Amino acid sequence: ISLQRQGAVISAFFKLPHSPQNCYRKKSNAAITGILFVTAWQCFRLNHPSTGVSLVGSPPFVRSQTESNHRRVQIAATGSSLDTNSSDVPQPYGQSDYFPVFSPAKDQSFHKQYNSLTTPSFLATRKNHYSTMSTTPISLDVLTKQNAETSNAIIDHLNDNQDFLKLAKYEGDLTVKRDKEDDDKLQVGIDYAKEKGVIDPNFVPAPYVDIDVLGKTPDEVAQVIIEKAKGTESGVIVLVGLSGTGKGTTVAKLRQRLETEQAKKVVTWSNGNVFRSVTLLAATWCEQQEPPVEIEKALTKENLASFISMLSFDKFDGTNYDTRIHGLGLDLYVSQVQNTVLKGPKVSKNIPTVAQVTQGEVILFAAKAIEIMTSAEPNLFVLLEGRAQTVNYVPTPHRFCLILSDDSLIGKRRAAQRLMAQALKDAAGDESKVESAMTSALASMVQEVP
């Protein structure tokens, strides 16, 4: 039996280097190719003992010995061919246990069949299809975690899948583009704040320590930061970086370790709720005008100063720090309305406009709030995550920038996050549906890619 065509199939199915000329001429290459084919078949049968597989090929057929404890495939190799006359070669039975063994090269149909198996379209189809197979499928337990472990497992699982790579590139490009647009808008706001004299135009921020997160777990990244801040009783840790580098996950891990291992009190701070609070006040002011006016009318220098004065930061209940919104008929605490009023349509639709002209005011409010906390609490750490343009003005020696030396992982992480959320929903708690849910979600999402 000819092994040249076996080599073509192996190359397509298992992505091995294949040279038809060498395989045709050299008996040693042909023998190796045959061994690889049988080995691959044995591996498949061992890992999928209950799966029936029907493959089409020319007679004669070789039967896998499923009744054997070792699931052996019995063959007799003689140079560049298998000896079909050998008594060791079993005869075919049950079609689901066949795998193809091709007829000799002298068979007139050989070249036609060989060419059909080595066309670019056939090879591309097989490569893309079999690259979706993984030796480490995603379990329901891992999928349910919905964290960095889940996203890393999905990336490993689909890292050779062309649809996943296409989606990841699309997500990565969108993320980088969005970050660039956000940075440009923030810089406009910073420049405006400098022109107004709200922040010092000659201020030079302290340098950041770069941490390459490639190949590191969130726990390992947190360990690097803890080592750098070693010996500090309290203070501020600032974390910046592109979207997808794991800032949020790292902050959560840092908080956990500082609280459990060092008995520190930890507060996480985000400027987002301050921007939302100012936006709520500006939108309320617009509604109270006769007649009501557009949001741009509220954003004068005098009004912004007034809105900021309506915000205060302290331990209002004697225990926990909070931001109070008190003015224009409002008396609210951010901790109580951050997921309701501050995320309502009145705020959401206006926050981009307001944020662009309030960078300086919010920066100074945040710096003052952080100073209040760190000066009053000797055993407290404030974890501050955000864009460099805004957190630059918070004084601290502990500044870290998360980077990825392989920037393709930004898109892969984002694609994995989308997939794991949709797959968890579609699997509905059924372990047997996890893989099909992943496949369906990926197929649907990749259709969004231009």
Side-chain angles (χ1 to χ4, degrees):
I1 120 175
S2 166
L3 293 177
Q4 297 94 314
R5 290 171 61 210
Q6 303 281 22
V9 175
I10 291 170
S11 298
F13 277 41
F14 305 103
K15 296 181 290 182
L16 300 173
H18 173 64
S19 168
Q21 293 79 10
N22 289 339
C23 190
Y24 189 92
R25 294 169 184 169
K26 296 182 180 179
K27 291 184 177 182
S28 59
N29 283 357
I32 291 171
T33 304
I35 292 168
L36 286 172
F37 191 99
V38 172
T39 301
W41 178 253
Q42 287 176 309
C43 290
F44 181 83
R45 294 292 296 176
L46 283 168
N47 286 287
H48 305 277
S50 62
T51 302
V53 180
S54 177
L55 298 175
V56 179
S58 303
F61 286 90
V62 174
R63 182 180 65 178
S64 63
Q65 299 300 285
T66 55
E67 59 267 38
S68 165
N69 289 335
H70 300 291
R71 300 191 184 280
R72 292 178 295 110
V73 177
Q74 297 179 344
I75 63 171
T78 57
S80 62
S81 64
L82 293 181
D83 185 359
T84 56
N85 295 318
S86 169
S87 60
D88 288 334
V89 180
Q91 297 305 306
Y93 74 108
Q95 187 177 10
S96 66
D97 284 304
Y98 290 168
F99 67 82
V101 177
F102 301 110
S103 51
K106 62 184 180 181
D107 187 338
Q108 294 298 316
S109 64
F110 167 72
H111 292 290
K112 179 179 179 181
Q113 294 170 346
Y114 179 87
N115 290 337
S116 71
L117 285 171
T118 55
T119 61
S121 60
F122 175 84
L123 295 177
T125 301
R126 293 299 87 194
K127 178 179 179 181
N128 186 59
H129 177 73
Y130 281 90
S131 67
T132 65
M133 298 175 64
S134 171
T135 56
T136 55
I138 307 300
S139 67
L140 181 62
D141 179 58
V142 171
L143 185 63
T144 303
K145 292 180 180 180
Q146 294 286 292
N147 59 12
E149 180 183 346
T150 312
S151 60
N152 287 337
I154 290 175
I155 291 171
D156 289 342
H157 183 61
L158 297 172
N159 206 33
D160 289 330
N161 183 290
Q162 296 304 308
D163 284 344
F164 178 73
L165 295 178
K166 183 177 181 180
L167 178 64
K169 184 179 186 308
Y170 175 68
E171 291 291 344
D173 291 345
L174 280 182
T175 300
V176 172
K177 180 181 178 182
R178 186 166 54 245
D179 278 358
K180 178 66 167 58
E181 290 173 349
D182 288 347
D183 285 346
D184 291 343
K185 290 177 182 177
L186 283 174
Q187 193 57 52
V188 170
I190 296 294
D191 292 341
Y192 180 62
K194 290 178 179 179
E195 291 175 10
K196 292 188 298 181
V198 176
I199 57 178
D200 182 2
N202 299 315
F203 175 80
V204 177
Y208 287 83
V209 174
D210 287 345
I211 301 176
D212 188 353
V213 300
L214 181 64
K216 295 184 178 70
T217 65
D219 195 57
E220 290 169 338
V221 176
Q223 180 60 34
V224 173
I225 295 172
I226 289 172
E227 286 294 326
K228 296 287 185 182
K230 193 174 183 179
T232 305
E233 291 299 319
S234 64
V236 182
I237 296 176
V238 169
L239 208 57
V240 301
L242 290 174
S243 299
T245 52
K247 298 188 299 296
T249 307
T250 301
V251 165
K253 182 60 67 174
L254 263 176
R255 178 169 192 160
Q256 177 191 6
R257 293 192 58 176
L258 287 170
E259 288 177 337
T260 58
E261 297 175 12
Q262 300 187 21
K264 300 291 185 183
K265 184 173 182 180
V266 181
V267 174
T268 56
W269 178 271
S270 171
N271 287 342
N273 282 334
V274 184
F275 282 115
R276 290 182 176 276
S277 299
V278 177
T279 302
L280 175 63
L281 288 166
T284 302
W285 183 89
C286 291
E287 292 174 345
Q288 293 177 353
Q289 304 309 300
E290 291 293 343
V293 297
E294 295 298 318
I295 195 72
E296 289 80 7
K297 297 289 186 181
L299 305 180
T300 64
K301 182 178 179 179
E302 293 74 22
N303 276 356
L304 293 178
S306 176
F307 298 154
I308 288 293
S309 72
M310 297 174 190
L311 303 180
S312 54
F313 184 82
D314 208 338
K315 284 186 177 180
F316 297 103
D317 63 357
T319 304
N320 300 307
Y321 286 106
D322 206 344
T323 299
R324 183 184 185 188
I325 307 169
H326 190 202
L328 299 179
L330 301 174
D331 193 359
L332 306 169
Y333 293 95
V334 166
S335 64
Q336 299 173 1
V337 297
Q338 60 184 346
N339 293 319
T340 54
V341 176
L342 292 184
K343 289 190 176 177
K346 182 164 70 173
V347 172
S348 297
K349 72 177 183 180
N350 290 312
I351 193 169
T353 304
V354 175
Q356 191 166 358
V357 297
T358 56
Q359 293 295 328
E361 288 81 0
V362 171
I363 286 170
L364 294 183
F365 181 86
K368 183 178 179 181
I370 291 170
E371 183 183 1
I372 290 172
M373 288 187 286
T374 54
S375 61
E377 301 279 349
N379 198 39
L380 180 138
F381 270 97
V382 177
L383 306 182
L384 178 58
E385 171 206 344
R387 301 282 183 180
Q389 293 99 319
T390 58
V391 299
N392 280 344
Y393 294 85
V394 176
T396 176
H398 308 304
R399 300 178 176 276
F400 303 92
C401 179
L402 303 189
I403 62 172
L404 266 171
S405 53
D406 178 3
D407 56 12
S408 71
L409 278 177
I410 292 176
K412 289 178 182 178
R413 285 182 172 183
R414 176 57 184 152
Q417 288 165 356
R418 291 188 61 195
L419 281 173
M420 68 190 193
Q422 188 61 49
L424 181 64
K425 179 181 177 182
D426 294 345
D430 188 338
E431 180 83 50
S432 66
K433 294 182 179 179
V434 170
E435 190 65 26
S436 61
M438 291 279 296
T439 302
S440 176
L442 178 57
S444 175
M445 290 176 187
V446 81
Q447 292 180 2
E448 304 170 7
V449 181

